[in-house]
Amino acid sequence: MKKVVISFILVITSLVITSCDLSFLFPDSFFVREVKYNINTIYKVTGIHLSTDGLNYIVPDYVLDDKFNEDSHNYYSGLDTLLVGVFKQSDAHPAPEQWSAIDWRITKIDAITLVDLDEKHPAGSSVGDILEIHSKFKNNSNFRMINDIKPGDIMLQDYFEYVGNETSAESLKKQSFELCRAGGPVDFNNIEIHIYTAFGDHFIARSETKEQEENEKENNGII
């Protein structure tokens, strides 16, 4: 009889352990494990657009070009660049499904105000002296737009999608450049961004507000 009771207790204990979530007994770091990915794809930038919905991002438009992808891999391998990403993963915070990159190779960034700001910054003048670029994929660094950005500073941009409800566009925006004021009354709703690259590109993007105003004038026949 005693053996039967002990066996019954063991069975009940086993069922409780296997059916209950006991994660509260362990620190979060207990379940964290590392996942490594090689960059599987490097995309080519074809243009830029601005996102001004609360935060101000310069987001790339991009395409997959097989020849460009191959050339970029060879270029960065030749520079002895580590094309391996290490991600921390847990059940609560899954790692991305794969790791890709966008090849910018930026040589210069400037910004033009489309409205009068002050005596030093009338409409049509540069406001790069009072703007910074915050780059999450560059160790969360801040670059003063005019003075700090040099060729080689901003080249590969991380691009990965986490498992979950986030869309591709949302994921990319969070990994792109954030415009930050470094002094002065910059109007992000009336601004034009210029990006120059080592490939000879000159990308231009205007804020949505200004574009919308100009489109409305054009549609209404106003010059």
Side-chain angles (χ1 to χ4, degrees), residues 165-186:
N165 298 323
E166 196 167 66
T167 66
S168 176
E170 290 170 336
S171 177
L172 179 61
K173 185 178 72 172
K174 288 183 179 179
Q175 298 162 59
S176 297
F177 308 116
E178 183 182 353
L179 289 170
C180 306
R181 295 179 180 89
V186 181

mmCIF file of all heavy atoms in Angstrom, residues 165-186:
data_model
loop_
_atom_site.group_PDB
_atom_site.id
_atom_site.type_symbol
_atom_site.label_atom_id
_atom_site.label_comp_id
_atom_site.label_asym_id
_atom_site.label_seq_id
_atom_site.Cartn_x
_atom_site.Cartn_y
_atom_site.Cartn_z
ATOM 1 N N ASN A 165 4.211 40.349 -35.026
ATOM 2 C CA ASN A 165 3.203 41.064 -35.798
ATOM 3 C C ASN A 165 3.764 42.259 -36.561
ATOM 4 O O ASN A 165 3.040 42.917 -37.290
ATOM 5 C CB ASN A 165 2.080 41.544 -34.869
ATOM 6 C CG ASN A 165 1.363 40.384 -34.198
ATOM 7 O OD1 ASN A 165 1.163 39.341 -34.812
ATOM 8 N ND2 ASN A 165 0.984 40.556 -32.939
ATOM 9 N N GLU A 166 5.039 42.573 -36.386
ATOM 10 C CA GLU A 166 5.608 43.759 -37.009
ATOM 11 C C GLU A 166 5.734 43.567 -38.514
ATOM 12 O O GLU A 166 6.180 42.519 -38.985
ATOM 13 C CB GLU A 166 6.980 44.037 -36.408
ATOM 14 C CG GLU A 166 7.507 45.417 -36.683
ATOM 15 C CD GLU A 166 8.716 45.724 -35.805
ATOM 16 O OE1 GLU A 166 9.747 45.078 -35.987
ATOM 17 O OE2 GLU A 166 8.598 46.597 -34.933
ATOM 18 N N THR A 167 5.348 44.579 -39.284
ATOM 19 C CA THR A 167 5.447 44.480 -40.738
ATOM 20 C C THR A 167 6.874 44.759 -41.184
ATOM 21 O O THR A 167 7.703 45.275 -40.431
ATOM 22 C CB THR A 167 4.525 45.496 -41.423
ATOM 23 O OG1 THR A 167 4.992 46.826 -41.140
ATOM 24 C CG2 THR A 167 3.096 45.345 -40.945
ATOM 25 N N SER A 168 7.159 44.423 -42.435
ATOM 26 C CA SER A 168 8.483 44.674 -42.998
ATOM 27 C C SER A 168 8.819 46.159 -42.972
ATOM 28 O O SER A 168 9.939 46.548 -42.660
ATOM 29 C CB SER A 168 8.534 44.151 -44.439
ATOM 30 O OG SER A 168 9.759 44.464 -45.048
ATOM 31 N N ALA A 169 7.834 47.018 -43.301
ATOM 32 C CA ALA A 169 8.068 48.464 -43.326
ATOM 33 C C ALA A 169 8.373 48.994 -41.935
ATOM 34 O O ALA A 169 9.268 49.834 -41.758
ATOM 35 C CB ALA A 169 6.849 49.180 -43.902
ATOM 36 N N GLU A 170 7.664 48.510 -40.917
ATOM 37 C CA GLU A 170 7.904 48.946 -39.543
ATOM 38 C C GLU A 170 9.282 48.514 -39.064
ATOM 39 O O GLU A 170 9.998 49.273 -38.409
ATOM 40 C CB GLU A 170 6.822 48.373 -38.620
ATOM 41 C CG GLU A 170 5.448 48.984 -38.819
ATOM 42 C CD GLU A 170 4.379 48.227 -38.060
ATOM 43 O OE1 GLU A 170 4.585 47.027 -37.763
ATOM 44 O OE2 GLU A 170 3.338 48.820 -37.781
ATOM 45 N N SER A 171 9.650 47.289 -39.404
ATOM 46 C CA SER A 171 10.954 46.773 -39.002
ATOM 47 C C SER A 171 12.076 47.584 -39.632
ATOM 48 O O SER A 171 13.050 47.954 -38.970
ATOM 49 C CB SER A 171 11.073 45.299 -39.408
ATOM 50 O OG SER A 171 12.343 44.782 -39.090
ATOM 51 N N LEU A 172 11.939 47.883 -40.920
ATOM 52 C CA LEU A 172 12.979 48.633 -41.627
ATOM 53 C C LEU A 172 13.112 50.044 -41.076
ATOM 54 O O LEU A 172 14.227 50.556 -40.906
ATOM 55 C CB LEU A 172 12.669 48.681 -43.122
ATOM 56 C CG LEU A 172 13.657 49.457 -43.986
ATOM 57 C CD1 LEU A 172 15.052 48.842 -43.906
ATOM 58 C CD2 LEU A 172 13.197 49.499 -45.441
ATOM 59 N N LYS A 173 11.975 50.690 -40.775
ATOM 60 C CA LYS A 173 12.009 52.064 -40.270
ATOM 61 C C LYS A 173 12.790 52.134 -38.967
ATOM 62 O O LYS A 173 13.594 53.051 -38.762
ATOM 63 C CB LYS A 173 10.591 52.588 -40.067
ATOM 64 C CG LYS A 173 10.540 54.059 -39.665
ATOM 65 C CD LYS A 173 9.127 54.562 -39.510
ATOM 66 C CE LYS A 173 8.471 54.013 -38.272
ATOM 67 N NZ LYS A 173 7.158 54.625 -38.005
ATOM 68 N N LYS A 174 12.582 51.175 -38.089
ATOM 69 C CA LYS A 174 13.259 51.186 -36.799
ATOM 70 C C LYS A 174 14.763 50.983 -36.938
ATOM 71 O O LYS A 174 15.524 51.324 -36.033
ATOM 72 C CB LYS A 174 12.668 50.101 -35.895
ATOM 73 C CG LYS A 174 11.270 50.413 -35.395
ATOM 74 C CD LYS A 174 10.771 49.342 -34.465
ATOM 75 C CE LYS A 174 9.380 49.668 -33.947
ATOM 76 N NZ LYS A 174 8.872 48.603 -33.058
ATOM 77 N N GLN A 175 15.197 50.423 -38.055
ATOM 78 C CA GLN A 175 16.621 50.175 -38.257
ATOM 79 C C GLN A 175 17.271 51.256 -39.126
ATOM 80 O O GLN A 175 18.461 51.175 -39.425
ATOM 81 C CB GLN A 175 16.814 48.801 -38.907
ATOM 82 C CG GLN A 175 16.309 47.658 -38.042
ATOM 83 C CD GLN A 175 16.093 46.393 -38.839
ATOM 84 O OE1 GLN A 175 17.011 45.878 -39.438
ATOM 85 N NE2 GLN A 175 14.867 45.893 -38.855
ATOM 86 N N SER A 176 16.495 52.266 -39.535
ATOM 87 C CA SER A 176 17.006 53.297 -40.428
ATOM 88 C C SER A 176 17.537 54.491 -39.647
ATOM 89 O O SER A 176 17.614 54.473 -38.427
ATOM 90 C CB SER A 176 15.907 53.731 -41.402
ATOM 91 O OG SER A 176 15.513 52.648 -42.222
ATOM 92 N N PHE A 177 17.893 55.572 -40.373
ATOM 93 C CA PHE A 177 18.436 56.778 -39.740
ATOM 94 C C PHE A 177 17.321 57.604 -39.119
ATOM 95 O O PHE A 177 16.312 57.865 -39.754
ATOM 96 C CB PHE A 177 19.138 57.665 -40.776
ATOM 97 C CG PHE A 177 20.149 56.958 -41.615
ATOM 98 C CD1 PHE A 177 19.974 56.842 -42.975
ATOM 99 C CD2 PHE A 177 21.289 56.421 -41.045
ATOM 100 C CE1 PHE A 177 20.905 56.204 -43.761
ATOM 101 C CE2 PHE A 177 22.229 55.773 -41.829
ATOM 102 C CZ PHE A 177 22.038 55.665 -43.188
ATOM 103 N N GLU A 178 17.556 58.048 -37.904
ATOM 104 C CA GLU A 178 16.618 58.964 -37.260
ATOM 105 C C GLU A 178 17.206 60.371 -37.281
ATOM 106 O O GLU A 178 18.369 60.573 -36.928
ATOM 107 C CB GLU A 178 16.353 58.532 -35.827
ATOM 108 C CG GLU A 178 15.320 59.405 -35.127
ATOM 109 C CD GLU A 178 15.095 58.994 -33.691
ATOM 110 O OE1 GLU A 178 15.636 57.950 -33.266
ATOM 111 O OE2 GLU A 178 14.383 59.740 -32.980
ATOM 112 N N LEU A 179 16.405 61.336 -37.723
ATOM 113 C CA LEU A 179 16.821 62.741 -37.712
ATOM 114 C C LEU A 179 16.594 63.325 -36.325
ATOM 115 O O LEU A 179 15.509 63.192 -35.758
ATOM 116 C CB LEU A 179 16.023 63.542 -38.740
ATOM 117 C CG LEU A 179 16.332 63.293 -40.221
ATOM 118 C CD1 LEU A 179 15.297 63.983 -41.087
ATOM 119 C CD2 LEU A 179 17.720 63.795 -40.550
ATOM 120 N N CYS A 180 17.616 63.978 -35.785
ATOM 121 C CA CYS A 180 17.519 64.564 -34.446
ATOM 122 C C CYS A 180 18.006 66.016 -34.486
ATOM 123 O O CYS A 180 18.980 66.332 -35.171
ATOM 124 C CB CYS A 180 18.385 63.789 -33.441
ATOM 125 S SG CYS A 180 18.058 62.020 -33.375
ATOM 126 N N ARG A 181 17.324 66.869 -33.754
ATOM 127 C CA ARG A 181 17.763 68.256 -33.639
ATOM 128 C C ARG A 181 19.007 68.324 -32.755
ATOM 129 O O ARG A 181 19.027 67.756 -31.666
ATOM 130 C CB ARG A 181 16.660 69.128 -33.052
ATOM 131 C CG ARG A 181 15.424 69.256 -33.931
ATOM 132 C CD ARG A 181 14.372 70.133 -33.256
ATOM 133 N NE ARG A 181 13.176 70.284 -34.078
ATOM 134 C CZ ARG A 181 12.139 69.461 -34.031
ATOM 135 N NH1 ARG A 181 12.166 68.431 -33.200
ATOM 136 N NH2 ARG A 181 11.085 69.657 -34.797
ATOM 137 N N ALA A 182 20.009 69.053 -33.219
ATOM 138 C CA ALA A 182 21.228 69.249 -32.428
ATOM 139 C C ALA A 182 21.369 70.715 -32.040
ATOM 140 O O ALA A 182 22.443 71.165 -31.670
ATOM 141 C CB ALA A 182 22.456 68.788 -33.224
ATOM 142 N N GLY A 183 20.294 71.463 -32.122
ATOM 143 C CA GLY A 183 20.291 72.890 -31.845
ATOM 144 C C GLY A 183 19.608 73.621 -32.979
ATOM 145 O O GLY A 183 19.921 73.389 -34.144
ATOM 146 N N GLY A 184 18.661 74.504 -32.648
ATOM 147 C CA GLY A 184 17.970 75.231 -33.707
ATOM 148 C C GLY A 184 16.594 74.678 -33.975
ATOM 149 O O GLY A 184 16.329 73.497 -33.768
ATOM 150 N N PRO A 185 15.696 75.509 -34.500
ATOM 151 C CA PRO A 185 14.277 75.144 -34.680
ATOM 152 C C PRO A 185 14.011 74.474 -36.026
ATOM 153 O O PRO A 185 13.397 75.058 -36.917
ATOM 154 C CB PRO A 185 13.574 76.502 -34.605
ATOM 155 C CG PRO A 185 14.573 77.454 -35.198
ATOM 156 C CD PRO A 185 15.937 76.935 -34.820
ATOM 157 N N VAL A 186 14.491 73.251 -36.218
ATOM 158 C CA VAL A 186 14.275 72.557 -37.488
ATOM 159 C C VAL A 186 12.824 72.110 -37.603
ATOM 160 O O VAL A 186 12.258 71.549 -36.661
ATOM 161 C CB VAL A 186 15.205 71.339 -37.612
ATOM 162 C CG1 VAL A 186 14.987 70.639 -38.948
ATOM 163 C CG2 VAL A 186 16.652 71.752 -37.463
#
